Amino acid sequence: LGLIPTLRKYVQDFEEKTKIRSLFETRGKEHRLSSAMEAAIYRLIQEALTNTAKHAYPTYVLVEITYQAQLVKIVVQDNGLGFKPELFQQKSKDHGHFGLIGMRERVELLEGRMEIESAENQGTKIVIHIPTNVE
Ligand code: ATP
Ligand code: MG
């Protein structure tokens, strides 16, 4: 199975397991990526959703994949507790939290970038851009 059906199923299962209303959307013209890239994207979304279930206590989460000509954009957004992104690096080092750091490393290996928008009580939005025209 390709990335999109695999993710659709994963998000459905996540919703059943957590009871968090979970929406999966794709935009743009779907196309297959290298298996390494598809595997990396799957893991990124897995970790983002795991964090949502573990830390956010939201009522809602959105996973959105947008295919553009030379770029894939990934958004994972929840309406939960939020956090101060500038603190996570320090917390990670001090207490062995490696999820977000691992995500950032995975994105950088693919020459992409990751932005975390989060504020206390305003939910969290993770936006990842990965160029698909490079090997
Ligand atoms: P690990 O991923 O190593 O099992 P972790 O989930 O605590 O541990 P990270 O994934 O790096 O570590 O996340 C760092 C911290 O950022 C979390 O401990 C949590 O405080 C905060 N955080 C991450 N994602 C969210 C989110 N969606 N909502 C609220 N807080 C979050
Ligand atoms: Mg984590």
Side-chain angles (χ1 to χ4, degrees):
L1 276 187
L3 177 65
I4 296 301
T6 306
L7 280 175
R8 187 168 284 121
K9 170 93 168 69
Y10 187 81
V11 172
Q12 261 170 23
D13 291 348
F14 178 84
E15 179 171 68
E16 277 169 33
K17 196 175 65 188
T18 63
K19 312 294 181 202
I20 298 165
R21 191 157 59 90
S22 304
L23 204 72
F24 178 67
E25 282 188 355
T26 63
R27 293 169 186 274
K29 193 167 179 293
E30 283 177 41
H31 53 269
R32 294 304 302 270
L33 306 169
S34 73
S35 57
M37 201 174 278
E38 291 201 347
I41 291 170
Y42 181 74
R43 295 212 173 130
L44 287 165
I45 290 170
Q46 251 185 335
E47 173 57 19
L49 284 178
T50 300
N51 278 345
T52 290
K54 207 158 101 176
H55 306 297
Y57 302 95
T59 60
Y60 171 83
V61 65
L62 167 70
V63 177
E64 187 185 78
I65 313 278
T66 304
Y67 288 91
Q68 293 170 10
Q70 308 198 320
L71 197 75
V72 61
K73 178 184 174 198
I74 300 147
V75 174
V76 180
Q77 179 166 20
D78 69 54
N79 67 347
L81 296 179
F83 67 111
K84 293 202 177 83
E86 63 278 12
L87 292 183
F88 94 80
Q89 308 264 9
Q90 196 52 44
K91 181 177 177 185
S92 300
K93 283 183 200 132
D94 293 350
H95 302 286
H97 301 263
F98 297 114
L100 288 173
I101 283 181
M103 286 173 70
R104 176 148 280 148
E105 282 172 2
R106 191 167 270 132
V107 169
E108 280 169 5
L109 281 175
L110 297 169
E111 296 179 42
R113 60 196 160 81
M114 174 168 110
E115 285 146 37
I116 304 169
E117 293 168 31
S118 187
E120 274 171 74
N121 298 312
Q122 290 176 48
T124 299
K125 181 176 185 180
I126 295 182
V127 182
I128 297 165
H129 289 88
I130 295 173
T132 52
N133 57 331
V134 288
E135 273 313 305

